[in-house]
Amino acid sequence: MITHKKTAVFFILLLLLLLLTKQYIAIHFLWFILIGIIWLSIVAINSAQIKSNYHVKAYCSNPSLTENKIALTFDDGPSTITLEILDVLKKYDVKATFFCIGKNIEKHPEIIKRVLSEGHQVGNHSYSHSPFFDFYNAKKILEEINRTDVLLEKFTSKKIQFFRPPYGVTTPSIRRALQLSGHKVIGWSIRSLDGGLKDQKIIYNRIIKRISPGGIVLLHDTEKHSVLVLEQFLQFLQQNNYTVISVENLLNLKAYEV
């Protein structure tokens, strides 16, 4: 498994090797620029892939599970669309995990109450979900995580253990913040892309082509079309003898601590 430490060590050793050999004299400065570009590319690609475990350990599936069981997660709520999502989940007697944004919890506290009263679980998805979250330092990231925890714990009365970084991007600053907060990072194995795509058929087909035992599906409870995709998907699961279980049970990790 490639990590940020292994990448840095590799390129440092490569540069030292060049410096310690006579070949260094013949090497043009552009080679150093090229090495820098390659290093930055590796870091950028792996930082954007939560499954890479590049900066932090992320739990994205349970590959050891052989039974037809998957977990269902929703990001970016709560919103008014969450109510429609909850109606569909209730109709099919399915429980999910909602990764909530702090500022949205403040807007819709009554929706969080319903989410929990109907047996679903909640996790931390930052306070602001800012597009600049990846550039925050560890102190600011920790402040966002703690602020959202406080909001959620008013309803759970238990300490939140699950965190999903905005956009699934991880950084050294996020790693340092999580070392202090103690949260487990929850990723996914199936990304529906319903936050960007609008075509229900494309989203639905994207999910079912990737479904397998132990998987974690990512949807959003902020998009109207996601409600329709969800109902189709739950029908597919029924027809193919799949069961939806909580992330907690799928990964054998606790969502909350007393």
Side-chain angles (χ1 to χ4, degrees):
M1 179 178 66
I2 298 175
T3 66
H4 70 287
K5 290 181 180 178
K6 290 179 181 177
T7 305
V9 168
F10 172 77
F11 282 103
I12 290 171
L13 290 174
L14 178 59
L15 288 172
L16 286 173
L17 179 63
L18 294 174
L19 288 167
L20 293 171
T21 62
K22 294 180 179 179
Q23 292 178 4
Y24 170 68
I25 300 172
I27 292 176
H28 195 278
F29 182 67
L30 288 177
W31 279 107
F32 288 94
I33 296 176
L34 179 61
I35 290 171
I37 291 172
I38 293 172
W39 177 73
L40 288 173
S41 298
I42 291 172
V43 172
I45 291 169
N46 283 286
S47 296
Q49 296 290 329
I50 197 167
K51 288 187 283 188
S52 72
N53 293 326
Y54 192 68
H55 294 293
V56 300
K57 166 66 177 174
Y59 299 86
C60 300
S61 67
N62 183 348
S64 66
L65 192 62
T66 56
E67 299 174 88
N68 284 351
K69 294 181 178 181
I70 58 119
L72 190 56
T73 65
F74 294 90
D75 281 10
D76 294 0
S79 73
T80 53
I81 301 297
T82 308
L83 297 173
E84 298 180 54
I85 294 288
L86 289 170
D87 288 340
V88 175
L89 293 174
K90 188 173 184 178
K91 177 180 176 181
Y92 289 87
D93 192 25
V94 165
K95 307 303 179 188
T97 302
F98 291 81
F99 287 91
C100 305
I101 297 174
K103 65 181 182 181
N104 291 340
I105 298 169
E106 291 176 332
K107 291 178 185 177
H108 304 288
E110 73 288 348
I111 297 179
I112 291 294
K113 289 180 181 177
R114 181 180 167 187
V115 167
L116 292 167
S117 70
E118 295 186 1
H120 306 287
Q121 293 179 337
V122 293
N124 191 317
H125 198 39
S126 82
Y127 177 80
S128 66
H129 202 289
S130 167
F132 303 107
F133 190 86
D134 310 329
F135 300 99
Y136 290 170
N137 60 34
K139 181 181 177 182
K140 187 169 179 60
I141 290 169
L142 186 60
E143 287 173 355
E144 288 231 355
I145 292 173
N146 288 339
R147 189 174 180 182
T148 303
D149 271 0
V150 168
L151 290 167
L152 286 172
E153 287 163 13
K154 289 179 182 178
F155 304 99
T156 63
S157 300
K158 298 175 183 177
K159 180 171 173 50
I160 303 299
Q161 293 296 295
F162 291 165
F163 173 72
R164 177 173 282 171
Y167 313 106
V169 176
T170 60
T171 65
S173 293
I174 290 175
R175 181 185 71 251
R176 289 191 289 271
L178 292 172
Q179 286 171 343
L180 295 172
S181 72
H183 289 74
K184 299 287 191 301
V185 174
I186 307 300
W188 56 81
S189 57
I190 303 170
R191 189 173 196 169
S192 65
L193 296 180
D194 63 328
L197 297 175
K198 302 298 181 185
D199 191 308
Q200 297 166 34
K201 186 176 180 180
I202 292 175
I203 298 168
Y204 171 73
N205 287 332
R206 178 180 173 82
I207 298 171
I208 63 171
K209 285 178 182 177
R210 291 166 172 78
I211 199 72
S212 62
I216 298 177
V217 180
L218 166 61
L219 287 160
H220 292 80
D221 54 328
T222 54
E223 305 292 342
K224 185 75 174 179
H225 57 266
S226 297
V227 181
L228 302 174
V229 172
L230 174 63
E231 180 136 24
Q232 284 183 287
F233 178 51
L234 294 179
Q235 290 172 356
F236 167 86
L237 293 176
Q238 281 188 346
Q239 293 163 4
N240 290 273
N241 299 314
Y242 267 88
T243 303
V244 179
I245 61 176
S246 68
V247 168
E248 183 178 66
N249 291 333
L250 185 86
L251 299 174
N252 296 314
L253 296 173
K254 291 295 183 183
Y256 316 116
E257 276 189 5
V258 179

